[in-house]
Amino acid sequence: MDTGTGADLLAASGDLPMVGADLAGGPPDLASDLRGPPGYPYPRVNEVVPSFSGVSANEYVELIGADHDIDLTGWSLHQETSTGILRLLVNLGGLTLPRGGYVLITNDVGLFSVMADLTYVGGTAGKLAQAGGAIALFDAKGSQVDSLGWGTAKGAYVEGTAAADPGDFSCSRIPDGADTGDNHADAQKATPTPRTANHL
């Protein structure tokens, strides 16, 4: 699939608001799941874009910070694929998630790679499936800290029930970091907002 240019992709998004202004091995064993209501001192998977503007390479995962800076050395992101396979997406070593701030992890090609804090090798096909999947955040001890699933996902990386299939939009926690323990209640199909507050 043609990855196009950033300007072409944004112009082709049609019914989406312009986002250009916003652009400036297997999983470890599941241990304690620290999810809870917003405001708890742990980071969250705030937003996942499995595809944007019809281009599979245009994908990203955004984390939102807790009430203190967090050194992500030893932390990792894992994914549930569309076929239910659990696998490592990327290690987060060397990054710091600032208090209340964002970290953006993207495919190594595609529209959003220019603003990434970290990229993974996904190529033009990408690694995140629109129809269903999930992202889980693990800390340096191998404990699952948070996860967000959408569409047909039903595995260990889904909290409660999966959020709706976001299509060419974003699976976004609204408000930022919302976490009642049920992905369907917390996340909605929304406009992609990398590094800025989520909104419909």
Side-chain angles (χ1 to χ4, degrees):
M1 186 177 291
D2 184 7
T3 58
T5 66
D8 292 339
L9 293 171
L10 293 173
S13 61
D15 56 351
L16 278 177
M18 289 292 287
V19 299
D22 293 332
L23 296 179
D29 293 335
L30 298 182
S32 58
D33 185 342
L34 307 179
R35 64 175 177 257
Y40 273 37
Y42 66 95
R44 284 134 286 167
V45 179
N46 195 46
E47 181 181 10
V48 179
V49 174
S51 173
F52 176 65
S53 193
V55 178
S56 297
N58 294 336
E59 58 181 30
Y60 69 80
V61 178
E62 178 191 82
L63 304 179
I64 189 168
D67 57 6
H68 60 287
D69 292 353
I70 297 177
D71 179 359
L72 296 177
T73 299
W75 290 55
S76 58
L77 285 179
H78 295 255
Q79 72 171 133
E80 176 188 343
T81 70
S82 58
T83 58
I85 296 172
L86 306 182
R87 67 185 183 190
L88 175 70
L89 180 64
V90 68
N91 289 309
L92 302 176
L95 294 178
T96 296
L97 182 54
R99 177 178 181 268
Y102 303 100
V103 162
L104 193 68
I105 303 101
T106 80
N107 189 2
D108 60 344
V109 298
L111 179 64
F112 302 105
S113 61
V114 295
M115 25 177 336
D117 294 295
L118 182 68
T119 62
Y120 53 85
V121 178
T124 56
K127 285 195 171 182
L128 308 180
Q130 281 182 309
I135 295 294
L137 175 65
F138 285 83
D139 66 17
K141 297 179 180 179
S143 297
Q144 184 175 323
V145 175
D146 187 51
S147 60
L148 179 58
W150 64 92
T152 58
K154 295 180 180 178
Y157 298 164
V158 177
E159 295 182 3
T161 304
D165 174 355
D168 265 339
F169 289 74
S170 169
C171 184
S172 300
R173 282 183 163 158
I174 299 176
D176 276 0
D179 193 354
T180 65
D182 185 76
N183 293 156
H184 192 269
D186 299 329
Q188 302 181 54
K189 180 179 178 178
T191 301
T193 56
R195 294 191 188 283
T196 58
N198 294 340
H199 59 79
L200 294 176

